[in-house]
Structures are given as C-alpha cells and as structure tokens.
Amino acid sequence: MSSFQNLGFSSCFDSGNGKLVTISDVGGLPIMRVNITNDPYTEVDGRAHKMWFHFKVSNLRGLQGKPLTVVLPNAGDCSYPGGWGGEALKGTPEGAAPYRACFSVDRQNWLRLNDTSYEDGELRMTLDAKAEPALEGADFVYLAYFAPYSQEQHMDLMATVVASSAKATVRTIGRTLDGADMELVTVRGSAKDEDAKKVWFIARQHPGESQASWWIDGFLRRLLDPSDPIANALLAKAVVHVVPMMNPDGARRGYLRTNAAGANLNREWQTPKLDYSPEVFHVLREMHEEGLDFCLDVHGDEALPYNFIAGGEGCPCWSDRLAALQKEWCDAYERTNPDFQQVEGYPVDKPNEANLAIGSNGMCQAFDALVMTMEMPFKDNANAPDMKVGWSADRCRRLGEAALDPTLAIVDKLR
Ligand SMILES: [Zn+2]
C-alpha cells in the first residue's frame, strides 16, 4: 500500500461539500478524486443543483514534497459548467478570466491555486509547494469554490458589530425548516420613521454565493461606523433594513442554490410557502409591514468575471422614473468603486417578460420601487485581475462598503 492512502479527507463542517471517491497512485504521484454532492432536487429548475465545494485534505506531510492533484470528476455535471472555464469559453465574456480554485492553510487568507484547469468535464487542482509557497510545510489545506463565510461568522457579526451598535436592532422574524433564526437587522439614525425612506439589502438567497456575505459584512460595518459621514447622512434620510443571511440552512449544509427542502429561494417571491420557502415568506411579510422604497439583493455569478446588476426592466411597472433612478445609482456606484461596471452582464429582460418569482422582479412589481440583483464573480474581475487572490473576500467587502455612496446619491428621489 502506498503512503498516499494515509492522506486525510473531510467535508464534515459548516458549509462543507465534497465526497472522497478514490486516492490513487499514478506513476508515483497521488491523485485524489472528489465528487461534489447534489443539493436536494429543485422542482422549478428541473434538476438537483451542485457546484459549491469546500473540503479539507490532511496528512500532507506524508507526500514528502510530491505534488497532490485533486480532481472533481463531476464538475461537468454541475449547474454552470461555464463557471469552470476551459477552451470552449475562449473569446466569450465568460472566458475573459479563468476559474482558479481557492485554497487556505490558515482559514483566514484564501489564495488562488494557479494550477487549476477544466478539461473533459473534470476540474483538476494541483497542490505543489514548489509553485505555491503558502503550502510549504503545511499539514493540511482547505479547498473551496470561493472564500467561505460560515454561520458562526455571521452570528459573531450579529453579536459583536450589530447588536452592540446603538443604531441597530436585530430581530428574529421566523425560523427556517432546520430551525435556524431568520434575522432582520434594522438601522436607524436621525431620520424620523414617518419621513424616512425604507431601504433594504438582502444577501445569500443562494447559499453557495459566499461573496454576498463578505459584501454585507463590509456594508454593515461601514453603515454602523459612527464616524462615517456618508453612513450618517444616509441614516438622516432612511431606515435601512438588512437580511444578511437569507438561507442559513443551505449555507450550513454546503448547498449551491437551495434551502433544506430544495427550494431555490430566488424563484419563490410570488407565492412563498411556510413549509417550503419560509425564509422568503417571513422576509416578504416584513417588507410589506415596514414598506420598501429600494432593495439590493446580493448574489454571486458562476460564469461572468465582472460585477454588475440585473434590473427590473421586464416588470409591468417599469417606468422612466425607475430607469432614471437605476442609471443614477449605477453611475454613482461605478464612480465610487471601479470594480463595479455596466458593460458586461445578463441580457436585459424585454418589456413585460420578467419572471416575477425572482426576488428583484417580484419586489420591483409589488412595491413599484428600484430593486436590483447585484452579481459578483467567482472567478475574478477581468478588468482588474489579481493573480494572487482573484475576486476576493476583501474586494467583496470594499464593494459592500461602497454601496452607501450611490444609495445616498438617490435617496431623496425614492418614495
Ligand atoms: Zn444567486
């Protein structure tokens, strides 16, 4: 038996996903094959999603300096194969930056693995200390689709940053199917409730899009900073409601797109059901109670290496007023943080063709308000690539912080 059999493998932790298939010795070099595990079947999408992975490989010292190749043999069967890159994307917007896996030896700093490739439906990641100095002398390494943001981190943020702020309250507005709290953060400054605009930010409907949590982390910290003049000016005109974690069950279970029952929450905004999509049910009820003049729903996109928004152009209520507001918000966001751009993105919905079960469309139509879906890349920002970290947790945070400025720029025009 080769010593490679002593390599350890686990995904048994918060947001873990990955099932060890085999460890083999190919010409004296170890190959570990790991399958990504399915989300529960999603009726409206006609498939079981998968793409998020997050696992730990241990006992690396047994390799005695040899490189280890980890292969995901079912990568080609994932929800967005275009997210992995490869030859087929050459010359397309999706192919403007390659996908490189995230790895960490300290669970704080997540670097990009240069030797990541996608071929014949398999994602191959080669861990070689000679090419990646961070791996030198490591006992174990974590691999993930994107820098994870755990439920523990979320709870720490709520307890240390949010609940301790005089401006913020955290309220449990319901429970998930697994029994987790659905939390609503409300931030009030000098604005009187009756005059204040009602501004919402929600994140992590899709649990595999951990970018959204890093974005909200940056956003909330800046919003609650008592010395930040933009935050204070915004809070003089608006009450800000934030749902930092729309899908705690899916996030903890290591899913890409669904809650515990297989609901794709971002297809549940027309008729959310308490026994299938309670997360949306509770949040939508609060939106109707509190009012909504603006909402940003924060996501990550597997294929496009850009930051962009998708708007409500296809909603029956779409108007010159909403179009002008959206343009002003986007222009101001781009000026504040050039990682945001308006050239690349999804095709714009044709008039009256929006799917109103999607959160941003459903809210736009229900409240006749500016509501946008924000997308961040898994790969990198192809306009400003970073070979070391790619699109990263820190850059998500900065982009979240920067969202205060454009929101202040348009707040007087909301209603
Ligand atoms: Zn999403």
Side-chain angles (χ1 to χ4, degrees):
M1 188 175 112
S2 123
S3 66
F4 303 153
Q5 301 301 325
N6 292 328
L7 282 165
F9 175 91
S10 179
S11 62
C12 184
F13 42 77
D14 187 302
S15 78
N17 186 315
K19 193 171 187 311
L20 179 63
V21 184
T22 56
I23 301 173
S24 50
D25 181 334
V26 179
L29 294 174
I31 311 270
M32 181 178 259
R33 297 174 77 80
V34 178
N35 269 331
I36 301 178
T37 305
N38 282 348
D39 295 1
Y41 185 81
T42 305
E43 199 76 46
V44 293
D45 298 333
R47 69 161 293 159
H49 288 287
K50 62 169 163 279
M51 193 137 180
W52 171 260
F53 64 90
H54 180 198
F55 52 83
K56 176 192 181 193
V57 182
S58 57
N59 297 348
L60 295 178
R61 285 176 195 260
L63 295 171
Q64 295 175 321
K66 290 194 171 112
L68 165 67
T69 298
V70 179
V71 180
L72 307 183
N74 65 357
D77 185 37
C78 284
S79 298
Y80 304 96
W84 301 128
E87 285 296 307
L89 297 183
K90 274 232 166 94
T92 68
E94 290 82 1
Y99 176 71
R100 292 174 296 134
C102 298
F103 75 98
S104 179
V105 295
D106 58 12
R107 298 184 6 104
Q108 302 295 321
N109 299 292
W110 289 85
L111 303 174
R112 295 289 180 152
L113 190 64
N114 273 311
D115 198 345
T116 304
S117 61
Y118 178 67
E119 229 175 292
D120 300 329
E122 297 188 334
L123 191 77
R124 296 175 73 85
M125 304 171 281
T126 298
L127 300 152
D128 183 355
K130 292 186 188 78
E132 304 284 353
L135 294 167
E136 185 82 49
D139 289 319
F140 52 76
V141 63
Y142 287 82
L143 286 163
Y145 187 22
F146 194 83
Y149 192 103
S150 69
Q151 186 67 2
E152 290 289 327
Q153 267 171 288
H154 161 75
M155 293 193 300
D156 285 347
L157 182 75
M158 291 302 101
T160 61
V161 176
V162 179
S164 68
S165 162
K167 293 180 198 166
T169 57
V170 187
R171 195 154 56 89
T172 298
I173 57 169
R175 280 156 69 88
T176 66
L177 298 171
D178 280 349
D181 285 343
M182 287 302 296
E183 290 170 315
L184 172 63
V185 174
T186 299
V187 184
R188 287 189 169 83
S190 59
K192 287 201 182 71
D193 254 25
E194 57 271 29
D195 307 326
K197 305 294 167 65
K198 311 299 187 297
V199 171
W200 289 74
F201 294 83
I202 69 172
R204 288 301 282 279
Q205 287 206 75
H206 291 144
E209 297 161 6
S210 54
Q211 298 95 324
S213 285
W214 294 110
W215 191 104
I216 283 283
D217 187 296
F219 174 81
L220 269 176
R221 285 175 198 273
R222 185 177 178 205
L223 183 65
L224 296 174
D225 178 351
S227 314
D228 193 289
I230 302 289
N232 290 333
L234 179 62
L235 292 170
K237 292 165 185 275
V239 171
V240 180
H241 298 287
V242 184
V243 183
M245 175 48 82
M246 281 292 300
N247 192 345
D249 295 354
R252 202 181 49 256
R253 288 173 174 226
Y255 293 167
L256 177 75
R257 265 177 104 69
T258 78
N259 72 355
N264 177 350
L265 295 184
N266 204 24
R267 301 292 182 275
E268 291 290 317
W269 288 77
Q270 278 212 293
T271 46
K273 295 176 198 72
L274 256 185
D275 60 355
Y276 184 63
S277 43
E279 301 88 346
V280 175
F281 183 95
H282 293 305
V283 170
L284 191 55
R285 184 198 60 229
E286 293 296 323
M287 287 172 166
H288 280 289
E289 266 170 33
E290 303 288 339
L292 184 151
D293 301 310
F294 170 94
C295 181
L296 192 71
D297 177 14
V298 188
H299 287 253
D301 184 81
E302 290 79 358
L304 282 168
Y306 302 98
N307 292 288
F308 58 96
I309 60 104
E313 290 89 345
C315 293
C317 71
W318 190 250
S319 58
D320 290 348
R321 178 183 82 89
L322 293 179
L325 274 176
Q326 180 167 298
K327 176 150 194 337
E328 190 175 348
W329 189 89
C330 289
D331 287 348
Y333 200 20
E334 195 172 8
R335 281 194 301 274
T336 310
N337 185 327
D339 270 332
F340 178 76
Q341 56 82 55
Q342 301 179 70
V343 176
E344 299 294 345
Y346 300 145
V348 174
D349 284 338
K350 295 196 178 70
N352 295 308
E353 286 187 7
N355 177 356
L356 298 179
I358 293 176
S360 57
N361 293 335
M363 286 181 252
C364 175
Q365 184 61 27
F367 296 97
D368 187 18
L370 177 61
V371 184
M372 298 171 287
T373 305
M374 165 91 214
E375 298 284 352
M376 285 176 281
F378 280 87
K379 294 168 175 169
D380 204 341
N381 172 2
N383 293 330
D386 184 319
M387 288 310 287
K388 204 169 160 216
V389 293
W391 184 250
S392 65
D394 276 345
R395 295 176 85 184
C396 295
R397 270 188 173 135
R398 297 295 174 92
L399 200 55
E401 290 167 6
L404 291 180
D405 301 65
T407 309
L408 175 61
I410 62 161
V411 71
D412 283 333
K413 296 175 191 161
L414 300 173
R415 58 155 172 79

